[in-house]
Amino acid sequence: MTGEILATLAAFAYGLAGVFIIQGKAKARGDNGVFLSILLTFGMSLCLWVGWGKVAAGDIMVPEVFPAMAAFAVAGVLANVVGRQSMYRATEMVGAVRAGLMRRMTPIFAVPCAVVLLGQYPDALRITGALIVLIGVAIYLVQPTGQSHAIPKTGLVVGVMSALAYALAYCFRGIGLVSIPDAALGASIGALFAAVILLICALGAKGVKAGWTYITIDRSRQHWQTALALSTGQLLQFFALKTASVLSVAVLGTLEVLFCAVFVLVITRCETVAIIRLLIASVVTMGGTTLLFLSP
């Protein structure tokens, strides 16, 4: 039961993060705190590895595990540079609730990614689950006839890109965990490489002074809240998986969208929420996610 509680708290944290991203955008003068959130993820996951890690530092200094380290690095760049930045931008463009719902498509993209990278072919149950998740997302994203405010297509594309990047990251992280079975270590390595890549890109594109300012200037209360919520959600999921099944954690993760909707409706009112359609979409995606993870 402890794992299920932690998974629910992780969904709560992710729901908060979506709202904080919107609030932070109003004060953003640079990257809206993306770099800050990656650094915080690195620090928290590093502390988790030092305190409770299964793999000692000496065990990762041998050539045999270098491919696994490289897989963690690639996963980190995909999740934090591509996936997290896309998540921020999609949230800013289409709203926290829609962006959160679009992240439910990550397991769908994980299916073809697993075929290409891991040689794991889906069975009928997993394919059915993926289709149901897609239907659930479409229920909320497809605009009813006569809707006056169209959803920005660019935001939808960026949201899909985020889900795809996270799916690829999960596959590469899975490759790394075969040789180095320590998720906290993998997360810290990935976040470190992501921070370095993001720094190099910013300095190269904007120059040293302007680039450094761009990725470090956003440090308001909302930006720290976003970074803390995202990092806390990720680490809570890590702890949840120690005592709860992957199925339980995945299904409870779909509650993120509902938590986010409650925050929007009760606290910020930063976007319009079609609550009935969202409830239906959430139930459908939860059912599809269940089928995806029930498959052996």
Side-chain angles (χ1 to χ4, degrees), residues 131-202:
L131 291 174
I132 292 174
V133 171
L134 191 60
I135 290 171
V137 173
I139 287 173
Y140 192 76
L141 292 185
V142 174
Q143 296 288 83
T145 304
Q147 185 82 28
S148 57
H149 300 290
I151 302 173
K153 290 183 173 58
T154 303
L156 296 178
V157 172
V158 174
V160 171
M161 183 188 305
S162 178
L164 175 58
Y166 277 120
L168 282 167
Y170 292 155
C171 289
F172 276 100
R173 187 171 295 172
I175 293 172
L177 287 171
V178 173
S179 300
I180 306 177
D182 194 315
L185 175 60
S188 62
I189 292 172
L192 176 60
F193 270 85
V196 171
I197 293 296
L198 202 59
L199 175 61
I200 292 173
C201 290

Side-chain angles (χ1 to χ4, degrees), residues 41-55 72 173 177 180-192 234-235 237-239 241-242:
T41 297
F42 167 68
M44 293 177 70
S45 57
L46 182 64
C47 290
L48 185 62
W49 171 56
V50 172
W52 294 276
K54 298 178 180 178
V55 178
F72 284 148
R173 187 171 295 172
L177 287 171
I180 306 177
D182 194 315
L185 175 60
S188 62
I189 292 172
L192 176 60
Q234 180 174 328
L235 296 182
Q237 282 188 335
F238 171 80
F239 280 114
L241 287 168
K242 288 181 173 294

